[in-house]
């Protein structure tokens, strides 16, 4: 009799490649991009610099950073076709569905979407990374019956995104916060969406197709949709004094609390720590509604850690504090997951380019549990 192979559901514990891009240390709660800790980068760097670091493997000189900044700015604009596509489906599809559709169409003016030349693929990656925030802002505006706003080349990547959403230039505090969001969401090794891009690119599909697979995979509440689900929970709680009974009831009913738990981190997610520090600062300048959500999030965090932290290894992840902070920065809930995708496009593209250096088609196996050699019964004789 055949011995049953061991199945790794969800590929838990399975290594799929060697990578020099990022290290997630789930035991110590640390994250590094190309050797630099996420805390150092969030404090000192900019999204543009992190973009250079990830795509080219090292921190840039001033000239190198300026060159990349110019390229990103040049590629920000989106075509009238893309705007028309978004407008046509604006009322019918969710923001993430619209982004997925627009990314898929982004190959429209690339006469050679697939390339086996790494330098050419880096240029394609820069186009995608530059356009995602413009597409995302256009999605938000068109869904709200407002005309899209053209990018402003005097503004940095994340600052310009906030500007394209509202038409107002953000103050330095909110611009820095949005840049930190773009930095901390940019990359996270072989998570579900990055893995999906690798599966697609391993067939030698082009980079646009692979990034489209990433956007699709980010959609679910177990991945990119968790911050929206967490804010919904905070709104359901409504008042800080209801937090404890809500959490108790939810846990007793075996409900998942979104924004907690992680496949790799069995301790506090370092990105959540960065956001918690922002949250404590944002509390003073937040309006009444957001201040309540902040208070609820801080009470819920304490309770969840008491109940599931050390005992179950379930700690806050990046998505728990993100929601109240986005609202504080004036970013509405339905934009959350498209910001995540816009930022993560950097990690997706970097992984695709790295994987192609040593490409191997993904083709895992399944244990077949059905029958064999059944008799084929013609349709008229089937009961
Ligand atoms: N609240 C309550 N219980 C939880 C939670 C949670 N958030 N997360 C896991 N558990 C429990 C789960 O019910 C299970 O319990 P039992 O063994 O009694 O059935 C146990 O922990 C293991 O759960 P699992 O789903 O098998 O473990 P996993 O490694 O697949 O979980 C996860 C990872 C992220 C899917 C899960 O923690 C979860 O669903 N969290 C909520 C969604 C969320 O916040 N996702 C964002 C992840 S970080 C951003 C990103 O990278 O996408």
């Amino acid at each position: 009799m055949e011995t049953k192979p061991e199945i790794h559901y969800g590929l838990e514990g399975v290594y799929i490649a060697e990578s020099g891009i990022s290290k997630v240390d789930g035991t110590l709660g640390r994250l590094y991009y190309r050797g630099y800790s996420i805390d150092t980068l969030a404090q000192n760097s900019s999204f543009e610099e992190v973009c250079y670091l990830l795509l080219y493997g090292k921190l840039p000189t001033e000239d190198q950073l300026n060159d990349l900044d110019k390229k990103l700015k040049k590629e920000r604009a989106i075509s009238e076709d893309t705007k028309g596509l978004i407008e046509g489906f604006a009322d019918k599809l969710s923001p993430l569905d619209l982004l997925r559709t627009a990314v898929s169409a982004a190959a429209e003016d690339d006469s050679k979407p697939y390339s086996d030349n790494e330098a050419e693929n880096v240029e394609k990656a820069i186009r995608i990374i530059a356009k995602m925030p413009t597409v995302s802002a256009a999605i938000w505006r068109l869904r709200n019956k407002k005309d899209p706003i053209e990018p402003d080349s005097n503004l940095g990547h994340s600052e310009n995104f906030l500007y394209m959403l509202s038409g107002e230039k953000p103050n330095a505090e909110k611009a820095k916060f949005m840049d930190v969001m773009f930095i901390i969401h940019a990359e996270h090794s072989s998570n579900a969406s990055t893995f999906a891009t690798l599966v697609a690119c391993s067939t030698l599909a082009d980079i646009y197709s692979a990034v489209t697979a990433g956007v699709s995979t980010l959609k679910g509440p177990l991945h990119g949709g968790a911050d929206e689900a967490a804010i919904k929970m905070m709104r359901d709680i409504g008042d800080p004094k209801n937090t404890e009974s809500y959490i108790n009831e939810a846990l007793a009913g075996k409900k998942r609390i979104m924004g907690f738990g992680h496949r790799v981190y069995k301790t506090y997610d370092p990105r959540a720590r960065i956001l918690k520090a922002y949250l404590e600062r944002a509390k003073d300048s937040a309006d009444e509604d957001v201040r309540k959500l902040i208070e609820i999030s801080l009470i819920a965090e304490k309770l969840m850690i008491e109940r599931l932290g050390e005992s179950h290894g379930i700690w806050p992840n990046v998505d728990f504090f993100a929601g109240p902070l986005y609202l504080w920065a004036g970013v509405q809930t339905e934009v959350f997951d498209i910001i995540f995708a816009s930022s993560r496009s950097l990690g997706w593209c970097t992984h695709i380019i790295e994987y192609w250096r040593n490409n191997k088609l993904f083709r895992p196996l399944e244990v077949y549990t059905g029958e064999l050699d059944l008799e084929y019964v013609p349709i008229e004789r089937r009961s």
Side-chain angles (χ1 to χ4, degrees):
M1 205 171 103
E2 270 182 68
T3 51
K4 190 176 168 188
E6 193 185 345
I7 302 175
H8 298 272
Y9 288 100
L11 294 185
E12 187 162 6
V14 175
Y15 289 84
I16 54 154
E18 289 190 344
S19 173
I21 302 172
S22 68
K23 160 94 182 146
V24 181
D25 183 333
T27 311
L28 294 177
R30 297 208 177 123
L31 170 63
Y32 302 88
Y33 292 173
R34 303 261 189 217
Y36 296 93
S37 97
I38 194 65
D39 302 87
T40 305
L41 294 172
Q43 203 172 344
N44 303 300
S45 193
S46 62
F47 178 78
E48 288 84 339
E49 190 176 59
V50 168
C51 188
Y52 191 98
L53 174 67
L54 289 175
L55 284 176
Y56 297 96
K58 59 184 175 54
L59 284 173
T61 62
E62 221 167 313
D63 285 347
Q64 288 167 333
L65 183 58
N66 287 338
D67 280 352
L68 176 64
D69 184 45
K70 272 192 208 135
K71 281 186 187 174
L72 283 166
K73 284 178 173 156
K74 187 166 157 270
E75 293 291 356
R76 277 180 188 166
I78 56 171
S79 69
E80 289 307 313
D81 285 348
T82 302
K83 287 181 204 161
L85 186 73
I86 298 169
E87 196 166 15
F89 290 108
D91 295 333
K92 302 181 188 88
L93 293 176
S94 74
L96 200 88
D97 293 334
L98 289 166
L99 184 68
R100 185 192 60 222
T101 306
V103 170
S104 168
E108 62 171 333
D109 56 353
D110 187 336
S111 57
K112 192 183 149 205
Y114 175 76
S115 170
D116 57 8
N117 177 297
E118 185 162 320
E120 283 179 13
N121 285 321
V122 170
E123 297 302 313
K124 292 178 199 299
I126 292 169
R127 285 188 75 223
I128 293 171
I129 295 159
K131 288 186 196 312
M132 297 272 286
T134 316
V135 172
S136 297
I139 288 171
W140 157 250
R141 291 191 65 86
L142 287 166
R143 277 173 62 82
N144 287 282
K145 311 282 177 242
K146 296 171 188 209
D147 288 333
I149 293 174
E150 290 302 312
D152 181 338
S153 58
N154 294 311
L155 302 177
H157 188 81
S158 330
E159 192 180 13
N160 175 58
F161 171 65
L162 276 179
Y163 164 70
M164 290 187 297
L165 277 180
S166 68
E168 281 168 34
K169 292 186 184 160
N171 66 26
E173 194 187 18
K174 290 188 177 160
K176 173 65 186 166
F177 159 71
M178 188 47 68
D179 209 41
V180 167
M181 291 311 247
F182 268 82
I183 292 172
I184 67 177
H185 283 96
E187 159 58 15
H188 212 229
S189 83
S190 54
N191 54 80
S193 57
T194 302
F195 179 58
T197 67
L198 295 184
V199 173
C201 86
S202 80
T203 69
L204 304 185
D206 59 86
I207 192 166
Y208 303 95
S209 305
V211 171
T212 305
V215 180
S216 308
T217 313
L218 193 81
K219 186 175 177 185
L222 297 189
H223 191 8
D227 46 9
E228 194 174 335
I231 207 77
K232 182 179 177 310
M233 177 192 81
M234 292 171 204
R235 287 203 191 285
D236 287 348
I237 293 175
D239 192 288
K241 67 177 184 328
N242 302 334
T243 314
E244 184 158 10
S245 55
Y246 184 100
I247 296 284
N248 287 345
E249 231 172 83
L251 293 181
K254 293 253 166 228
K255 262 201 197 160
R256 273 169 201 243
I257 307 296
M258 294 295 155
F260 285 86
H262 199 273
R263 176 66 62 77
V264 183
Y265 294 120
K266 297 303 168 198
T267 183
Y268 218 109
D269 177 339
R271 301 165 301 171
R273 262 195 207 294
I274 293 171
L275 294 187
K276 189 178 172 194
Y278 266 91
L279 199 74
E280 275 157 358
R281 289 203 294 271
K283 211 159 82 174
D284 297 334
S285 56
D287 64 28
E288 184 58 23
D289 177 48
V290 175
R291 198 163 47 243
K292 258 193 190 166
L293 297 171
I294 293 178
E295 278 168 25
I296 291 169
S297 72
L298 290 170
I299 299 171
E301 177 232 26
K302 193 163 168 283
L303 292 167
M304 284 292 286
I305 292 176
E306 276 166 19
R307 288 162 177 60
L308 299 178
E310 293 297 344
S311 57
H312 293 75
I314 295 172
W315 296 82
N317 64 50
V318 68
D319 286 324
F320 191 62
F321 296 123
L325 280 168
Y326 279 136
L327 294 177
W328 164 77
V331 175
Q332 297 310 307
T333 317
E334 63 167 25
V335 190
F336 294 0
D337 57 4
I338 54 180
I339 299 182
F340 192 163
S342 298
S343 160
R344 187 56 60 83
S345 63
L346 169 54
W348 293 331
C349 290
T350 309
H351 276 275
I352 294 163
I353 291 165
E354 181 187 65
Y355 194 77
W356 272 337
R357 284 185 197 150
N358 198 11
N359 191 63
K360 175 93 178 159
L361 177 74
F362 276 101
R363 196 347 178 158
L365 299 170
E366 288 176 330
V367 177
Y368 175 66
T369 58
E371 294 173 283
L372 294 171
D373 295 328
L374 293 176
E375 186 196 347
Y376 180 82
V377 181
I379 194 160
E380 61 280 6
R381 285 190 12 230
R382 290 176 213 156
S383 53

